[in-house]
Amino acid sequence: MKIKMNRFNQTDETDIDELDDSFDEKEYEALEQELTHYLVKFPDENKIDATVDTLRQYVPDRTTKSVSIRERSFALIKRAKTEVTIVSKTYWIASTFLFFIGYLIANQTNTDPILTLIFLAPLPFIFGLSEVFKGREHGLFEMELACKFSAHEIILSRLFLIGIYNLTLNTVLTLVLSPVTGKPLIEMILTWFTPFTFFVAIGLWLSMKFKGQIFVTTLLSLWLVFIVIFVINNHWMVAFLNIHYILHLVFLTAGFLLVGLQLIQFTKKYQTFEGGTRVEINY
Amino acid sequence: MRLTIEKISKTFKDKQAVTTFSAELTEGVYALLGPNGAGKTTLMRMLADIMKPSSGRILLDDKDISLMGDHYRDILGYLPQEFGLYKNFNAIRFLSYFASLKGLDKEKAKTRVEEVLKLVNLQKDRKRKLRTYSGGMKRRLGIAQALLNDPKILIVDEPTAGLDPQERVRFRNLLSEIAGDRIVLLSTHIVTDIEYIAKEVLLMRQGELIQRSTIEKLLESVEEKVWKCSVEQGALSQLQKSYKVGNIQRAESGIEIRIVSDVKPMPNALSVSPTLEDVYLYFFEKEAEENV
Amino acid sequence: MYKQECYKIFTRKSLYFAFLLFVLFMVILPGGSTPIIQTDEYQTLYEEWRGPLSRTEIDLANQKLEELQNRIDQEMEQTEDLEVVFPPQSIEEQAAFRVYSSVASIGRYIDSFQQRKEDLQEATRGSTTTAYESEEARLELNMLNELGQPFGFYNTTAWGNTVDFINVFAFIILTILIVLGLSPVFADEHSQKSISLIRSTKHGKRKIVTTKILASCTYIVSLFVTLHIINVALEVRKFGALMDGTVPLQNLFLFIQSPFSLTIWQYYAIALGIQFFASLVIGLLVLFLSIVTRNGMLTFFISGAVIGTPFLFRQLGIDQPFIQYVTQFSYAELMRVKGLFDQFVAFPLFDQPVLYPVLLISTFLLVAILTMYLIYHQYKNQQIMN
C-alpha cells in the first residue's frame, strides 16, 4: 500500500507511461477499493507547528500602515520640525507682517476689527499651500516619493506646520484685538474659525486639481470676492456676526468634516506616483 | 553664406561665460565640443539671437544679425537644450503655432508640418496631446520645430540627449542629409554623434575656442599619443594620477587600459589608432580633474 | 498664431471655475428690491405720481406724509411696545408711505439743487473767490443750467442696480479675472520653457507680442460681454423689465449730485464703454508686468497691489491730499466709472478748469500708449538667461 502511494507521489512522465502499460482493470478496481476506505489521519500538533514555523519566513512583514495612528502623527510632528527650515523664510516673515498690518488697520481705522480678522484668517494658509507643494512644482515629486518619508508624509507635515502657524497668528491677533471689540473671546474665535475651515477645505481641494501658481491665485481671488460681497452686503454681514453660537458650532463641524475629507483624499492621492501626476495642470 | 563670429564675449554678474570667441562658419555641419559649463549654450543662444553679446558682433554675410532682426531669424532654426512644450497641445497644433510664428503662410504651413512630422517619425502620434509624449518624442518634436522653416542656419544644442540609439542614428543621417546648403552648428559632449557628419569640430573650454579643425586633423594631432597596455590592478590608481586614462577594461591577463599621453607611459604600451574620444580626453581631461 | 494664443488662455479651467463661482455669488445675492414695490397698491399710486413733479404736488405729498406719520405715532403710543418700530399697517399704508416719502425727498433734492445754483451764481461773481475758482464755478453753473430741472418721481430700482453693478461687482470681478487670466500670458512661456523656442523664430519678437495682445483683448471682450449680459438678465429676472431708462441720470440715487446732462441709458452706455476701456488698460498693465517679472504669481500680486492699494486707501478713509490724487487717478477709479460722473470735479490745467472724467480718460489713454510701447520695447530687448 505504502509503496504504491509513493509511486503515485513521485509520478513523472516515464512513470505515467509505465503506468499505462502495467495497469489492468483488476488492479484499478483494487486501488479504488482501497482509496474509498482510506482514512487520512489528523497530523499531530508538533508537525503542524513545525510547518507553520517553516512557512513563517515567507509571510510578508507587517506594513508600516498598521503602525498606530498615535505613532504616525507623532512622527509627522517631529518631521514638521525639520520642515521649518525648508519652508522659505519669506513666507514666515510675510505672514507675520501681514498680520501686523492687519492689527494696524483694525486698530487705527474705523473698520470693524472682526472683519479684518475674518479677512486675514485664511491668508497664511493660502500662501502656505504653495510652500507645501514646493516639491511638486519644482519637479521633485518623483524623488520625494522614493525617500523614507514619502511625499504624502512630507505634505502632511508641512500642512500641519502651516496650519499651526496660521492658527497661532489668528489667535494672537484675536487676543490683541479682543479689548478693542469688547466681545467675548470665544465668540470672536468662532467668527473667524468657521469661514477659515471652509476655505481650508476648498484650498486643499483646489490644490489637488490645479498646479501651484494657479490654485494660489484662484483661491485668493475667490476669497477677495467673497469678502467684498460680504462687506457690501450689510445684512449678510450683520446676520453673520450675530449668528447664534450653536449654529456656528454646526457650521464649524461641517467645516471640519470637509477638511478631514480632503485630508484623506490627499493621503490617498499622494501615496502613489500616478496619483500625484494626475494633478490637473493647465497648459 | 558666411556666418562670422567676431570676438564675442558674454559676462554674467559673476561669471565670464564666453571670452572673445571668434570663428567663421560656412555651409556644412560644425560640431561644438566641450565639457559641461564650457559656454556652449551661451554661445548658441547668442547665435540664435535670444541673448545679446556683452561685446563683439555676429555677422551673416557681413551684416550684423542684431540689425537684421527678423530677417535673420527667418532663416534660423534653433533647438535649445532644454525646452518646454504646451502640454495640452497636440503635435499638429504645436507645429502650426510655430509655423505661424516663423511666418509660414497657411497653405505652406500645412504641408510643411506634415513633412517635418514625417522627417522625425512622429506621424502616428501627431494627434496625441503632448503631455503623453515620452522624452525622446518631445525632443524629436523640438527638432521638427527647428526644421519647420527650412532654415539656412540651424543651431541645435545637444539634440540627441534622451534619444535612443536608433533615433540617434536617424537624427545623424537627417542632419547630414540636410546639411548640404546650410550652416549647421551642433553642440554635444557625445563624441560619437559627430564622428561621421561634422565637417569641422570647434573645441571649447571655459568660454574660449581652443581648437578648430577637421576630425581627421584632430585625430592626427593625437596620433602616436594613444596607448594601450595591460596593467595589474594595483598599478591602476598610480597610473590614473599621472596620465589621462581612458577606457578601462577587464581582460583575462589583468586590466587593459587606454592612455592618452605625449610620451610612452610604460615599456609594454602599444600605440593604437586614436578615436574622437581620445581627442576629447586629450583636450579636456584636465577640466574634468578640476571639476572633481 | 492668434488661434493658438487664444487656445492657451481659453483652455485654462481655473478661469472657468472662478468665473462660475463669481456668477454663483451674483445669483445668490439678495436683490435690493423690497416686496412692497411689487404690490398692485404701490403700482397704482406710482402710476398716479410718476413723472416730473410740480411744487404743489410735492407740498401735497409732504402733507400726506405728515398725516401718515402722525397716525403711526399715535398707534405707537397706544401699543407702547418699543420693539415694534414700524407697526404692522395695511399694504395701502405702506405703499403710500413709500411713495410720499420718495416724492418728499425729491422735493428736497430740487430745493438743494436750486440752492446749489444760487451758490454758484454767487461764486462766479468772484467777490470772495480766486479767478480760477470763479472759472470753475462758471463751468459747473453752465452745466447745471444745461441740465434744467432733472428730478422727477420714477421707479429706477432696476436701472439703479444695473448701473450699480458696474462700480461694484463688475469692477471687482472683471479686475480679478483679467489679472488672473492674463498674468501667465508672457510669464508662462518662461515657466513652460518655451520662450527660447519662440524668441528664435522670425515673428518671435514683434508679431508674437501683437498676437498675444490681441488674444488678451479677445479674452477681455468675451469676459466683459458675458458678465454684463448675465447681470442684465439677472436684474430683469429680479425686477421685470428695465423701465424709465430715458429719464435724466440724476434720478438715480447715486447720481443726485451729478452735473452731467445724460439720460440713464446714455450713462449706462458711456459707463460700459469706459469700463471696457479700463479693462483694456488694466489688461495691458498685467501683460507688461507679465513680461517684466517672468512669473505669473508675482504678476498677480504686483498688479493686484497696483490696482488694489488706492481702493484700499479709499475704503480705509486715508485721505491726505497727495493720497487723494493717487486715488483719483488710479486704475480702480477708472474701472469703477461711477466716481467720474457722480459729482462735479475739475482740475486746473493751465489755469483752466478741466473736467475730471476728461482728464482721467486722457491720462489713461496716455498710460495705455506708454504701456503698449513698453511692452514691445521690453519684450524685444529681453534676454534668455536660464
Side-chain angles (χ1 to χ4, degrees), chain A residues 7-243:
Chain A
R7 250 188 84 179
F8 263 104
N9 284 342
Q10 290 163 0
T11 308
D12 61 22
E13 262 173 51
T14 47
D15 278 342
I16 291 170
D17 292 345
E18 223 175 283
L19 245 104
D20 278 348
D21 298 338
S22 61
F23 245 62
D24 58 31
E25 277 300 300
K26 256 190 189 163
E27 212 176 332
Y28 181 77
E29 269 169 27
L31 187 66
E32 204 178 10
Q33 280 282 315
E34 263 179 47
L35 282 176
T36 24
H37 297 287
Y38 187 72
L39 279 176
V40 181
K41 277 188 205 138
F42 196 80
D44 60 60
E45 280 306 284
N46 288 340
K47 271 193 179 166
I48 295 177
D49 284 348
T51 316
V52 171
D53 279 340
T54 345
L55 288 178
R56 180 149 284 154
Q57 57 183 316
Y58 300 108
V59 176
D61 282 340
R62 283 182 157 214
T63 47
T64 38
K65 240 188 172 172
S66 47
V67 175
S68 75
I69 293 178
R70 221 184 97 226
E71 250 170 82
R72 256 178 81 195
S73 21
F74 193 67
L76 275 185
I77 294 170
K78 251 169 92 181
R79 174 88 214 132
K81 263 196 279 181
T82 47
E83 293 292 336
V84 174
T85 49
I86 296 186
V87 174
S88 84
K89 266 194 204 108
T90 338
Y91 167 70
W92 301 117
I93 297 169
S95 312
T96 318
F97 186 67
L98 203 68
F99 270 68
F100 183 66
I101 300 236
Y103 170 73
L104 285 185
I105 289 178
N107 223 3
Q108 303 288 317
T109 58
N110 47 7
T111 42
D112 189 341
I114 294 203
L115 210 64
T116 316
L117 203 55
I118 296 174
F119 179 58
L120 284 178
L123 287 183
F125 192 81
I126 296 176
F127 292 132
L129 273 179
S130 71
E131 290 289 327
V132 169
F133 291 106
K134 234 183 190 175
R136 192 181 79 189
E137 307 306 329
H138 294 274
L140 296 173
F141 188 65
E142 238 170 300
M143 281 189 270
E144 280 181 355
L145 268 180
C147 296
K148 187 184 164 211
F149 289 99
S150 71
H152 78 275
E153 284 174 301
I154 293 176
I155 286 174
L156 276 184
S157 58
R158 283 192 201 160
L159 275 179
F160 171 76
L161 189 68
I162 60 163
I164 291 289
Y165 181 60
N166 198 164
L167 289 180
T168 318
L169 281 179
N170 289 347
T171 317
V172 168
L173 192 60
T174 315
L175 287 175
V176 173
L177 286 181
S178 68
V180 185
T181 58
K183 281 195 177 179
L185 211 61
I186 187 79
E187 204 183 308
M188 280 178 71
I189 290 181
L190 278 179
T191 318
W192 60 256
F193 211 73
T194 316
F196 175 76
T197 49
F198 276 88
F199 257 83
V200 167
I202 296 176
L204 289 177
W205 182 77
L206 270 179
S207 69
M208 282 185 277
K209 299 281 171 217
F210 297 105
K211 71 170 181 179
Q213 300 201 336
I214 291 175
F215 79 72
V216 171
T217 46
T218 311
L219 198 58
L220 266 180
S221 314
L222 285 181
W223 184 236
L224 211 68
V225 169
F226 172 74
I227 285 297
V228 168
I229 287 179
F230 208 68
V231 172
I232 289 169
N233 238 280
N234 234 329
H235 30 274
W236 275 20
M237 191 163 82
V238 173
F240 181 78
L241 291 181
N242 296 316
I243 281 181

Side-chain angles (χ1 to χ4, degrees), chain B residues 10 45 49-52 70 73-74 78 80 82-84 86 88-89 93 97 100-101 103 145, chain C residues 1 4-5 7-8 11 189 192-194 196-203 205 208 383-385:
Chain B
K10 181 75 192 177
R45 279 182 179 158
D49 195 27
I50 60 172
M51 198 185 255
K52 289 191 182 80
D70 51 353
R73 291 194 303 277
D74 191 21
Y78 172 58
E82 257 184 63
F83 59 93
Y86 305 114
N88 63 350
F89 277 34
R93 190 188 290 276
Y97 175 58
S100 58
L101 272 170
Q145 169 275 137
Chain C
M1 205 184 328
Q4 286 94 337
E5 289 299 344
Y7 185 84
K8 285 187 209 166
T11 49
E189 304 294 356
Q192 302 269 327
K193 298 198 174 126
S194 50
S196 48
L197 285 181
I198 289 178
R199 289 180 61 86
S200 62
T201 59
K202 183 183 181 192
H203 295 311
K205 286 194 177 178
I208 182 82
Q383 299 189 56
I384 316 293
M385 293 303 183

Side-chain angles (χ1 to χ4, degrees), chain C residues 362-380:
Chain C
S362 16
T363 310
F364 272 97
L365 264 176
L366 284 179
V367 169
I369 292 167
L370 188 72
T371 324
M372 192 88 97
Y373 167 75
L374 283 175
I375 286 176
Y376 280 101
H377 179 80
Q378 191 67 28
Y379 188 78
K380 196 168 153 249

Side-chain angles (χ1 to χ4, degrees), chain B residues 34-197:
Chain B
N36 291 329
K40 290 176 301 206
T41 299
T42 308
L43 177 69
M44 294 188 120
R45 279 182 179 158
M46 289 189 282
L47 288 174
D49 195 27
I50 60 172
M51 198 185 255
K52 289 191 182 80
S54 308
S55 67
R57 319 183 281 169
I58 300 165
L59 307 168
L60 179 70
D61 290 333
D62 295 326
K63 273 181 279 179
D64 193 328
I65 63 161
S66 64
L67 298 178
M68 286 175 72
D70 51 353
H71 292 296
Y72 176 68
R73 291 194 303 277
D74 191 21
I75 53 165
L76 172 78
Y78 172 58
L79 177 69
Q81 189 176 352
E82 257 184 63
F83 59 93
L85 306 169
Y86 305 114
K87 295 193 182 72
N88 63 350
F89 277 34
N90 61 26
I92 299 258
R93 190 188 290 276
F94 181 79
L95 288 176
S96 318
Y97 175 58
F98 273 94
S100 58
L101 272 170
K102 285 170 185 254
L104 272 64
D105 62 60
K106 266 203 179 139
E107 282 306 303
K108 196 169 173 228
K110 232 178 181 176
T111 52
R112 193 61 196 152
V113 165
E114 291 298 327
E115 276 170 35
V116 291
L117 277 173
K118 200 170 165 190
L119 273 179
V120 297
N121 201 13
L122 279 176
Q123 288 149 295
K124 258 190 279 168
D125 305 289
R126 65 188 199 277
K127 292 254 165 83
R128 273 172 58 193
K129 293 254 168 171
L130 300 186
R131 79 174 86 231
T132 65
Y133 270 34
S134 71
M137 288 161 85
K138 283 181 188 160
R139 194 145 280 274
R140 267 144 64 199
L141 190 62
I143 295 165
Q145 169 275 137
L147 294 175
L148 264 177
N149 56 335
D150 200 9
K152 291 274 164 277
I153 298 170
L154 182 62
I155 295 171
V156 281
D157 198 353
E158 301 201 3
T160 53
L163 292 187
D164 61 28
Q166 206 184 338
E167 285 298 336
R168 242 194 180 102
V169 174
R170 254 182 84 95
F171 178 68
R172 246 171 9 217
N173 294 343
L174 180 67
L175 269 194
S176 45
E177 235 171 74
I178 61 171
D181 54 344
R182 53 193 111 207
I183 301 173
V184 179
L185 181 63
L186 113 145
S187 85
T188 184
H189 46 227
I190 302 167
V191 287
T192 50
D193 273 354
I194 52 172
E195 217 148 14
Y196 307 103
I197 55 167

